[in-house]
Amino acid sequence: DTEKAKELLDQAGFDYSQTYTLAASSADYQNVAAIIQQNLAEIGVNVEIMTGDAATLMSGARDGSIDMSLLQSTTGASPTYL
């Protein structure tokens, strides 16, 4: 429901002028990221997809320079990645 989504974002004072980053570490994740980007564009949210190796993207997710991520890691269970 795009209208309800817009209404909730407006109520929350969402900043539509910002572009959010979405990291995707594999071809499959890049396909999913493109769908997410398209869906968010429908409600006025700008998303830039970042690609690269998982280690670099994971570092960006950890330090906050990447807003959202679709990553696969084999580092084991850790609350840092939840």
Side-chain angles (χ1 to χ4, degrees):
D1 183 350
T2 56
E3 290 307 313
K4 183 66 174 179
K6 288 179 190 178
E7 179 185 325
L8 292 171
L9 289 174
D10 289 342
Q11 287 175 8
F14 186 79
D15 180 6
Y16 292 96
S17 68
Q18 182 174 341
T19 297
Y20 297 89
T21 53
L22 172 57
S25 63
S26 70
D28 288 336
Y29 288 152
Q30 290 169 25
N31 292 335
V32 172
I35 293 167
I36 293 170
Q37 181 185 47
Q38 179 181 359
N39 289 343
L40 290 174
E42 291 175 10
I43 59 172
V45 177
N46 300 310
V47 174
E48 175 187 353
I49 299 172
M50 298 180 67
T51 60
D53 65 277
T56 300
L57 297 175
M58 182 70 72
S59 176
R62 277 193 210 121
D63 70 19
S65 63
I66 294 174
D67 300 304
M68 302 173 278
S69 59
L70 298 168
L71 303 171
Q72 182 174 354
S73 175
T74 58
T75 59
S78 170
T80 303
Y81 306 116
L82 300 178

